[in-house]
Amino acid sequence: MATKYNLKQWAYAATVMAAASSQSAWAEDAHSYAKLQEVTTPHLELDLTVDFEGKQLRGTATYDLVRKSDDATTVHMDTRELTISKAEIWQDNAWQETSFKLAEPHETLGQELTVSIGEATDKVRIHYTTAPTASGLQWLSPEQTKSVKFPFMFSQSQPIHARSWIPIQDTPALRLTYDATVRTPAGMLAVMSADNSLDPELDGNYSFSMPQPIPPYLIAIAAGELVVKEISDNVAVFAEPYIIDDAAWEWADTPAMITATEEMYGPYRWDRYDLLVLPPSFPFGGMENPRLSFITPTVVSGDRTLINLIAHELAHSWSGNLVTNASWRDLWLNEGFTSYVENRIMESLFGERRAQMELALGYQDLLDNMERLAPKDTVLNIELGTRHPDDVFSQVPYVKGQLFLVYLENKFGRETFDNFLRQYFDDFAFQSISTAEFKAYLARHLLAKNPDVVSMDKVNEWIHEPGLPADAPKPTSNAFAEVEKQMQRWLKGGQLTTQEWTTHEWLHFINNLPLDISSVNMRRLDEQFNLTQSKNAEIAHAWLKLAIVKNYEPARDRLRNYLLTIGRNKLVSPLYRELAKTPDNLKWAREVYQQAKPGYHPLTQTVNEALLYPEQ
Ligand code: BES
Ligand code: ZN
């Protein structure tokens, strides 16, 4: 790593800066009951027992309290399906029981927890148990894992699911440090978004510390039959034994990615960067849990072509984890900046051709998404009200956000824009910021210093208007132009030359085949390239989606098998959405879904039930 740093120094700087961060952002999170203007909880101590039989976490959450208002005598937290047995405050050198109240459940937000803290205490402790149906946890039986020896559990807290396994002020406007003690059955390993040991003794007793202040949605836990393999001094992979060697091989470029990002945007400030392979039911491609990104096994493709996902999760160590969106309306500050940095990392390691293909694929996904989204949901600074952020998840914050930054880069020049970004990450390190704060910073540090290049009106159009500005970049790729030429020749009966194609060219090819392609041509492709049986989860996805549109029956069994074994929602839900379009396919899809459901994560269940049973 380019810069070694002193943890204590960072923690100190972060505390000072967090204290200076604006009150306005705090009041604006419609997805939390926390009242940060009254009391904050800058440190958490967790003590949890993982009960696989009961599918429950059981234990205590103890918080340090900081009073922001003189007359606050309660602290307000978020919970969802938690059973609270007791609340205590530290007073007169002892824990004393205190009163608490759980409000009626709100469908999206869960239940507000109000705990009496009197006027003097600076510590509160909550005793609780999670529900087996906790929206932020998935519990897998031994039979649902590859080795069939141990069960597996993991969390996915972003955006508002931390509250389903910890009573917490669940707003990204808060930052807190944490320590944790976790108990599992012996022989299993627990890991967290914290300082994981590389040489753990599997005695079922684990302790963790996360010394840098993070938002609640980055608190993460997993437990299962896990082994460790080091890639370099500062990067290791944690995984079930069946995939550990393949994953370590697939992600060998991670240390070089860290170095490249540090050169562009400043020091990596989280000490180690480890990767955890989740079971195939993990609902996302990746999740940037600090020090330990959680990754789907569906990107272990054996050819290193999907490692932009690692670049993406790593990039969040700057955009998202260091500088954090203050509310879910500002998600584009996390995901748009991260998609931009991801692409810059890819360019730096693998050159412009590959980066350009990835940008073009993203752009096409964005255009597809925008076709089915209500215009108001194509706005970067989206109006959510109290809608669940999961319900409006789309490529808009990612790719439209990224295109906005590409636009700024083109206008101001790469050097100027890189310097701006580097300074931005430094100035807001360990803080949460809103879109309004970003705009003010942009106006002052980029627009005003380079007058008459980009107007504030243009910035507002990007951030507050639906769709894309007329002068938005329209990424294309020379490599894809070649693919299209080949496609035209092939459709007329010629041969394809695909020896040099990577996943990218295949995705572009399949996604752009004419929808009136004949079944003879579908079969011809499949026989030559074995697409139905592709081991690459992304290529298989694109092909299976087309197979549904075309009613290409030879792919049915594979489609069923795919839906039964993969739970990454981005790969699963476009298939159910396509199937739901005809009555026969819908009937078939519901049967497959019911069979797959016990293995799906709660998020994958919710999203796909909305597609398959819209009337409910
Ligand atoms: N942080 C996101 C996942 C997320 C976003 C979860 C919002 C809940 C709410 C993660 O970094 C992500 O974007 N994953 C993508 C990666 C892809 C864009 C390379 C995914 O899972 O597909
Ligand atoms: Zn992301």
Side-chain angles (χ1 to χ4, degrees):
M1 231 169 295
T3 319
K4 279 281 166 211
Y5 71 98
N6 175 326
L7 270 187
K8 284 216 178 80
Q9 247 169 29
W10 278 111
Y12 171 72
T15 314
V16 172
M17 287 189 283
S21 102
S22 86
Q23 298 263 330
S24 64
W26 291 359
E28 281 168 17
D29 188 350
H31 291 93
S32 172
Y33 290 111
K35 296 192 168 126
L36 301 187
Q37 68 282 13
E38 296 181 359
V39 179
T40 64
T41 48
H43 182 74
L44 162 65
E45 206 184 303
L46 271 176
D47 188 302
L48 292 176
T49 299
V50 186
D51 170 3
F52 282 98
E53 258 116 72
K55 297 188 177 174
Q56 282 174 328
L57 297 178
R58 216 176 12 250
T60 57
T62 306
Y63 288 101
D64 290 355
L65 299 172
V66 172
R67 289 161 195 265
K68 299 284 167 181
S69 133
D70 289 342
D71 36 82
T73 55
T74 50
V75 57
H76 299 259
M77 298 192 187
D78 298 289
T79 73
R80 183 176 195 98
E81 290 194 285
L82 297 184
T83 303
I84 313 272
S85 56
K86 185 160 72 167
E88 296 170 301
I89 51 177
W90 181 253
Q91 204 149 284
D92 305 326
N93 286 317
W95 286 108
Q96 317 220 344
E97 199 159 340
T98 187
S99 64
F100 68 91
K101 195 178 85 201
L102 264 184
E104 284 300 302
H106 180 285
E107 154 102 46
T108 307
L109 306 178
Q111 285 175 282
E112 177 179 14
L113 169 68
T114 309
V115 184
S116 303
I117 52 168
E119 277 162 15
T121 186
D122 59 3
K123 268 186 198 292
V124 67
R125 173 169 289 173
I126 297 150
H127 298 247
Y128 71 99
T129 314
T130 63
T133 48
S135 62
L137 299 176
Q138 188 177 11
W139 299 86
L140 298 170
S141 65
E143 295 70 41
Q144 290 171 311
T145 69
K146 274 274 164 25
S147 74
V148 192
K149 275 197 230 142
F150 288 96
F152 203 106
M153 68 85 50
F154 63 87
S155 68
Q156 168 56 41
S157 298
Q158 195 185 16
I160 54 171
H161 302 290
R163 65 190 66 177
S164 74
W165 64 282
I166 312 172
I168 195 163
Q169 293 185 307
D170 196 7
T171 168
L174 173 75
R175 301 191 86 87
L176 74 177
T177 51
Y178 76 85
D179 297 322
T181 302
V182 177
R183 277 169 291 273
T184 68
M188 299 184 69
L189 178 63
V191 290
M192 291 192 81
S193 52
D195 60 337
N196 295 291
S197 163
L198 295 181
D199 186 19
E201 193 189 326
L202 301 181
D203 59 0
N205 245 303
Y206 306 98
S207 52
F208 304 93
S209 169
M210 169 41 87
Q212 288 113 325
I214 58 169
Y217 75 85
L218 292 178
I219 306 177
I221 186 171
E225 185 192 7
L226 293 173
V227 291
V228 189
K229 185 164 181 171
E230 290 182 68
I231 291 183
S232 73
D233 280 357
N234 53 333
V235 181
V237 179
F238 290 78
E240 290 176 74
Y242 83 96
I243 199 172
I244 188 80
D245 290 331
D246 291 349
W249 180 86
E250 194 86 28
W251 302 330
D253 291 311
T254 311
M257 287 184 175
I258 299 175
T259 309
T261 322
E262 289 188 308
E263 272 164 21
M264 293 188 284
Y265 303 118
Y268 178 78
R269 308 198 205 202
W270 305 90
D271 199 9
R272 299 189 53 80
Y273 182 67
D274 296 328
L275 299 156
L276 170 69
V277 185
L278 279 297
S281 65
F282 187 60
F284 287 95
M287 178 64 213
E288 65 271 25
N289 297 318
R291 294 180 183 220
L292 183 66
S293 285
F294 283 25
I295 311 288
T296 173
T298 62
V299 294
V300 182
S301 52
D303 58 9
R304 295 184 177 162
T305 58
L306 299 175
I307 55 174
N308 68 298
L309 185 117
I310 306 298
H312 180 96
E313 304 315 333
L314 171 68
H316 274 304
S317 307
W318 286 260
S319 42
N321 298 4
L322 192 59
V323 183
T324 306
N325 53 208
S327 82
W328 301 114
R329 294 192 54 202
D330 310 307
L331 179 67
W332 76 278
L333 291 177
N334 277 18
E335 298 302 342
F337 280 63
T338 294
S339 300
Y340 175 84
V341 172
E342 165 200 333
N343 202 250
R344 291 291 304 275
I345 298 172
M346 293 306 290
E347 183 188 316
S348 155
L349 263 79
F350 306 105
E352 229 180 292
R353 178 186 150 98
R354 177 153 172 195
Q356 200 56 32
M357 285 196 287
E358 292 180 358
L359 184 60
L361 284 170
Y363 180 56
Q364 193 159 34
D365 274 353
L366 173 68
L367 297 181
D368 290 349
N369 265 215
M370 288 204 305
E371 264 179 42
R372 63 174 170 80
L373 289 171
K376 73 174 171 78
D377 290 340
T378 67
V379 171
L380 283 181
N381 190 205
I382 189 171
E383 198 57 75
L384 286 175
T386 56
R387 284 189 293 168
H388 201 301
D390 285 345
D391 291 346
V392 292
F393 186 85
S394 81
Q395 291 304 303
V396 169
Y398 289 80
V399 185
K400 184 179 174 182
Q402 176 183 12
L403 289 178
F404 176 34
L405 301 195
V406 171
Y407 173 87
L408 293 174
E409 181 200 320
N410 291 344
K411 289 286 178 189
F412 291 97
R414 183 168 274 195
E415 201 188 328
T416 302
F417 191 61
D418 278 359
N419 289 336
F420 166 79
L421 271 188
R422 193 185 175 102
Q423 194 63 42
Y424 165 77
F425 291 134
D426 205 41
D427 285 345
F428 290 104
F430 297 105
Q431 294 184 54
S432 305
I433 79 163
S434 67
T435 297
E437 286 166 309
F438 170 71
K439 268 169 46 175
Y441 185 87
L442 179 75
R444 192 155 152 221
H445 294 273
L446 193 63
L447 306 197
K449 286 185 182 158
N450 306 272
D452 305 323
V453 179
V454 173
S455 70
M456 207 55 204
D457 281 352
K458 184 51 81 181
V459 169
N460 283 324
E461 184 186 356
W462 271 102
I463 294 179
H464 299 292
E465 297 296 325
L468 287 168
D471 59 348
K474 297 175 184 53
T476 55
S477 140
N478 294 335
F480 288 170
E482 271 309 306
V483 170
E484 284 159 36
K485 270 194 212 148
Q486 280 219 49
M487 185 194 299
Q488 290 317 321
R489 283 201 297 268
W490 178 81
L491 285 166
K492 292 185 195 117
Q495 284 300 312
L496 283 177
T497 317
T498 61
Q499 288 83 342
E500 305 282 299
W501 284 13
T502 62
T503 304
H504 308 84
E505 284 95 343
W506 275 112
L507 289 178
H508 184 76
F509 179 82
I510 298 168
N511 289 339
N512 289 282
L513 280 168
L515 290 184
D516 62 0
I517 179 177
S518 66
S519 39
V520 173
N521 269 341
M522 289 283 288
R523 212 174 278 271
R524 182 155 78 103
L525 260 186
D526 205 8
E527 273 161 15
Q528 194 176 353
F529 301 106
N530 213 5
L531 294 173
T532 297
Q533 299 307 333
S534 174
K535 296 240 171 346
N536 183 303
E538 298 269 1
I539 293 177
H541 168 86
W543 176 251
L544 292 173
K545 203 166 82 178
L546 180 68
I548 299 168
V549 179
K550 299 301 298 175
N551 271 313
Y552 177 67
E553 282 305 314
R556 266 296 149 167
D557 286 346
R558 170 74 164 123
L559 176 59
R560 180 203 307 273
N561 182 266
Y562 193 93
L563 293 168
L564 288 174
T565 50
I566 294 178
R568 177 180 172 193
N569 195 47
K570 192 178 147 192
L571 296 179
V572 162
S573 74
L575 301 176
Y576 282 123
R577 181 178 287 114
E578 203 52 57
L579 285 165
K581 287 180 181 168
T582 71
D584 284 354
N585 276 340
L586 177 60
K587 183 163 172 282
W588 183 85
R590 284 176 171 169
E591 280 166 26
V592 175
Y593 175 79
Q594 288 306 332
Q595 205 185 330
K597 181 177 170 174
Y600 283 158
H601 183 275
L603 176 105
T604 304
Q605 292 186 17
T606 308
V607 172
N608 292 290
E609 277 172 31
L611 295 171
L612 295 175
Y613 304 95
E615 65 285 357
Q616 283 169 18

